Amino acid sequence: MRVSIREDGSALSHAPDNWYAVDWRRVERNVRGMQIRIAKATRESDWRRVKALQRMLTRTLSAKLYAVRRVTQNQGARTAGVDRELWDSPESRWEAIGRLKRRGYKPLPLRRVFIPKANGKERPLGIPTMRDRAMQALYLLALEPVSESTSDPNSYGFRLNRSTADAMSQIFVAMSQKGSARWVLEADIKGCFDHINHEWLENRVPMDKEVLRKWLKAGLIYKGQLQATEAGTPQGGIISPTLANVTLNGLERELIAHLGAKFGIAKAKKLKVNVVRYADDFVITGDSQEVLEQEVWPWVEAFLAGRGLQLSEEKTRITHIDTGFDFLGWNFRRYSGTLLIKPSKKNARAFYRKVAETINGNKTVKQASLIRLLNPMLRGWARYHSPVVAKEAYSRMESLIFRRLWRWSKRRHPSKSADWVRKKYFHSEGSRHWVFAVPVVREAGKGLLELYQISGTDIRRHRKVKGAFNPFDPEWEQYGEQLREARMEHSMRHRRQWVSLYMSQSGLCAHCGCALTKETGWHDHHLEYRMHGGSDALSNRVLLHPDCHRQVHAGKIAVTKPARD
């Protein structure tokens, strides 16, 4: 049982009159209860009830609190829109609740920015104001249960508890057996987010049409000029990925139904057509080149045309599995009848370029600072590829990075010998030599701060999410909790103490009792403050949401160590 009381012994009030007085466990329970009802009505195709429940949810205080919290505790909370307003204080967040009203609502234009892509090009982003982000988060709470309940089973992008590794695993399932499909349609939609037809969205997206129309027509500001938005859902809005998913939902189900109606169910299965989609990227398998070229490709083009989209002629192609294809940073290819999935050469080149730029851009920093810059990058890339055949790619990447670091080290001391440079920057750790590391002093004594060893990353087969999983269906509740805990534990396994705390708290914040996720973030809180003599032992630490951590300190709230259920 989790107990949060003030240090004077008084209980927290259930009727909030400020941001820090909110009972987030109750807020989450209220919102989730409504979302479960919306999802149930969706599964029963009771669209009048769906609309009524959505309208009810978006007017509740709980949903508005949840929406404001979501947009103020993610990474984008530090980026302002065209009004330059940030909700960076409890007072501004509490005041924002009263501004989330449908009546009189008029979104401001988006602030256009560009971020670099791996291929050297730039990706356009539209940054909404904080108020518009919160309104999108509010209506997303009502749209997401519908989207999840109507999504294709093998759609994995921007959905709860689904990832690129799930898409990769599904392709392995569809193509790894001796009698599996041998051909693949690699599809690429030309500027998906920028070209979705607004009229189609307004007529087909199950949400408040007036609010949706205002977002779509808000326009954007670039270099001081207002530009109209006649099509598309600009990337950057919190609701844009879900709108794109709703647009492409049906690609799998309707294609399979079309083939079944044309050829009969038994013959359609023999065609081995499988669709695997991650956001706007997808591949379609088939038993022959002809079925993909004559049946699937034209159908997909017609499906997309109705939504204002089209395939890229340059990037869309049909490939044999023995030749191989790239998808989501991996290369899928059959070698002597065995399907192997490896990091793609393009992905490896882009990552090495990023590492090299980091090293070249920090020629004069301390070695420890460079290691701290590189380690998250190296760990992230290695972890991403840990479910596939990546040992060879790991070794090659380590070799390339070592050469770059050796040049970085030699450049700093042009008059010193190679042996002197080696002894200063490289050390031995057990059976490992030439470890790029620096001696540091820790609480436990002296040690080495070393560069993350890519080749030491364990290769583990990914356990794919079940295609029918619906996070808003009570029947999947236990499965969803186990999946969330397992994936958080897997992704953070390099931080053993963190995993111990997370598992001891059942993955819940020790203050509000709501789930700790990558999106919410977390802080490590000492029950007895270190300035008062508290230790760093696990028994004196708990994990809290960042907002809960600030609330605990501001309200002088004593948090107890939760007992695992």
Side-chain angles (χ1 to χ4, degrees):
M1 180 178 179
R2 293 169 180 78
V3 181
S4 293
I5 57 174
R6 298 195 185 280
E7 291 184 341
D8 62 5
S10 62
L12 294 177
S13 171
H14 289 302
D17 56 3
N18 64 77
W19 185 257
Y20 283 150
V22 177
D23 182 348
W24 292 108
R25 184 75 178 270
R26 173 175 288 190
V27 165
E28 187 173 272
R29 188 166 59 244
N30 291 343
V31 170
R32 180 157 182 81
M34 288 293 294
Q35 289 180 316
I36 289 173
R37 293 171 65 189
I38 292 171
K40 182 175 183 292
T42 302
R43 293 193 300 274
E44 295 170 353
S45 299
D46 188 349
W47 298 109
R48 289 185 63 183
R49 183 162 178 76
V50 168
K51 185 176 180 180
L53 290 170
Q54 285 182 321
R55 184 169 59 248
M56 190 185 307
L57 175 60
T58 55
R59 293 179 179 181
T60 63
L61 175 61
S62 290
K64 293 177 181 180
L65 285 165
Y66 197 100
V68 172
R69 189 190 202 196
R70 180 171 182 178
V71 301
T72 54
Q73 68 180 9
N74 60 21
Q75 291 183 346
R78 296 187 293 271
T79 305
V82 294
D83 61 355
R84 300 296 176 183
E85 180 183 358
L86 290 176
W87 295 343
D88 51 5
S89 69
E91 293 75 22
S92 61
R93 293 171 191 174
W94 184 253
E95 182 185 353
I97 304 298
R99 298 169 58 191
L100 301 187
K101 296 179 180 178
R102 182 182 184 276
R103 177 173 293 180
Y105 171 64
K106 185 177 181 181
L108 293 175
L110 306 169
R111 181 164 69 92
R112 173 70 90 192
V113 297
F114 291 87
I115 60 172
K117 295 171 65 176
N119 58 9
K121 297 182 180 180
E122 291 184 321
R123 183 189 307 279
L125 288 183
I127 309 298
T129 64
M130 291 300 297
R131 184 193 181 198
D132 293 335
R133 265 177 263 179
M135 285 292 285
Q136 288 189 16
L138 177 63
Y139 281 85
L140 180 59
L141 291 174
L143 175 60
E144 212 165 24
V146 183
S147 172
E148 283 290 336
S149 301
T150 56
S151 288
D152 293 323
N154 292 307
S155 160
Y156 298 100
F158 303 112
R159 295 180 61 191
L160 296 173
N161 285 325
R162 296 186 181 229
S163 65
T164 53
D166 290 309
M168 174 273 295
S169 299
Q170 180 58 29
I171 294 176
F172 185 83
V173 169
M175 306 196 75
S176 61
Q177 301 300 316
K178 185 176 181 180
S180 297
R182 299 167 296 161
W183 293 86
V184 174
L185 171 64
E186 303 175 64
D188 183 272
I189 301 175
K190 187 184 296 183
C192 177
F193 282 86
D194 296 328
H195 295 101
I196 300 175
N197 184 277
H198 282 182
E199 185 178 350
W200 189 94
L201 286 171
E202 292 171 19
N203 292 333
R204 302 295 181 89
V205 176
M207 65 168 289
D208 190 308
K209 290 178 172 44
E210 184 178 340
V211 173
L212 176 59
R213 186 181 303 113
K214 288 179 179 180
W215 286 334
L216 297 176
K217 302 299 183 183
L220 53 89
I221 292 180
Y222 181 59
K223 293 183 177 180
Q225 299 292 320
L226 178 63
Q227 301 174 6
T229 47
E230 300 298 335
T233 58
Q235 296 182 64
I238 194 170
I239 202 171
S240 293
T242 302
L243 292 178
N245 267 339
V246 172
T247 302
L248 296 176
N249 278 345
L251 180 65
E252 178 182 359
R253 283 195 174 102
E254 292 179 26
L255 174 58
I256 301 302
H258 163 75
L259 294 174
K262 184 170 183 177
F263 298 103
I265 295 177
K267 186 177 180 181
K269 287 184 178 179
K270 293 180 181 179
L271 298 178
K272 300 170 185 174
V273 173
N274 299 279
V275 182
V276 180
R277 179 168 68 85
Y278 187 88
D280 59 330
D281 295 323
F282 62 93
V283 296
I284 303 178
T285 68
D287 194 46
S288 67
Q289 183 176 4
E290 289 72 25
V291 71
L292 292 177
E293 202 168 63
Q294 298 173 14
E295 297 293 337
V296 174
W297 193 326
W299 184 92
V300 170
E301 286 186 322
F303 176 88
L304 295 176
R307 292 151 173 78
L309 303 173
Q310 59 180 336
L311 293 173
S312 168
E313 294 182 4
E314 301 80 21
K315 298 180 180 179
T316 302
R317 62 181 69 87
I318 295 175
T319 310
H320 195 279
I321 190 59
D322 290 347
T323 304
F325 65 95
D326 290 350
F327 186 60
L328 300 176
W330 291 299
N331 178 261
F332 299 76
R333 185 177 174 185
R334 191 177 291 173
Y335 298 82
S336 302
T338 302
L339 177 65
L340 296 182
I341 307 172
K342 302 179 180 182
S344 70
K345 292 180 180 179
K346 180 180 177 182
N347 177 274
R349 282 196 299 267
F351 176 70
Y352 175 67
R353 192 183 310 120
K354 181 180 178 182
V355 172
E357 289 173 356
T358 301
I359 296 172
N360 289 340
N362 292 276
K363 292 185 174 73
T364 60
V365 302
K366 293 181 179 180
Q367 185 182 9
S369 299
L370 181 62
I371 290 173
R372 290 189 177 99
L373 279 173
L374 292 175
N375 275 355
M377 297 166 56
L378 303 181
R379 184 181 294 110
W381 185 79
R383 300 276 183 199
Y384 183 81
H385 295 294
S386 63
V388 303
V389 183
K391 282 297 185 181
E392 184 180 336
Y394 286 169
S395 297
R396 174 165 174 75
M397 186 61 67
E398 271 196 344
S399 176
L400 291 171
I401 293 173
F402 168 79
R403 294 176 197 173
R404 182 70 64 169
L405 290 172
W406 177 247
R407 289 198 295 270
W408 179 89
S409 304
K410 290 265 292 179
R411 179 191 175 278
R412 295 162 71 91
H413 306 282
S415 61
K416 298 291 185 180
S417 68
D419 190 56
W420 187 94
V421 173
R422 178 186 65 80
K423 289 179 180 178
K424 179 172 177 60
Y425 292 102
F426 296 86
H427 300 263
S428 295
E429 182 74 13
S431 60
R432 297 171 57 216
H433 304 289
W434 289 89
V435 178
F436 190 71
V438 60
V440 293
V441 179
R442 297 190 174 99
E443 290 187 5
K446 293 182 179 180
L448 284 177
L449 173 63
E450 60 184 77
L451 193 73
Y452 179 78
Q453 184 188 8
I454 295 177
S455 60
T457 306
D458 294 334
I459 301 297
R460 294 188 183 182
R461 177 68 61 85
H462 178 77
R463 187 175 179 180
K464 191 182 83 70
V465 66
K466 294 182 180 180
F469 170 61
N470 185 342
F472 300 104
D473 186 343
E475 292 185 5
W476 290 95
E477 183 79 24
Q478 185 176 2
Y479 174 83
E481 288 297 318
Q482 294 171 347
L483 185 69
R484 179 177 61 82
E485 281 197 21
R487 295 198 168 180
M488 284 290 284
E489 181 184 5
H490 175 76
S491 66
M492 301 297 292
R493 64 184 184 273
H494 62 285
R495 296 171 60 179
R496 294 180 181 176
Q497 289 194 344
W498 186 95
V499 171
S500 296
L501 285 174
Y502 181 84
M503 298 304 291
S504 71
Q505 297 176 204
S506 302
L508 305 177
C509 172
H511 174 57
C512 71
C514 299
L516 293 162
T517 66
K518 289 183 179 179
E519 184 182 51
T520 65
W522 53 81
H523 283 176
D524 194 339
H525 172 69
H526 289 72
L527 300 176
E528 183 180 358
Y529 297 169
R530 281 179 292 185
M531 67 178 66
H532 296 156
S535 72
D536 278 329
L538 292 181
S539 58
N540 189 48
R541 291 155 56 193
V542 291
L543 296 175
L544 305 175
H545 290 125
D547 217 42
C548 290
H549 199 196
R550 288 187 286 269
Q551 182 177 349
V552 164
H553 280 277
K556 297 182 179 180
I557 301 168
V559 181
T560 61
K561 188 81 174 178
R564 186 171 173 85
D565 297 334

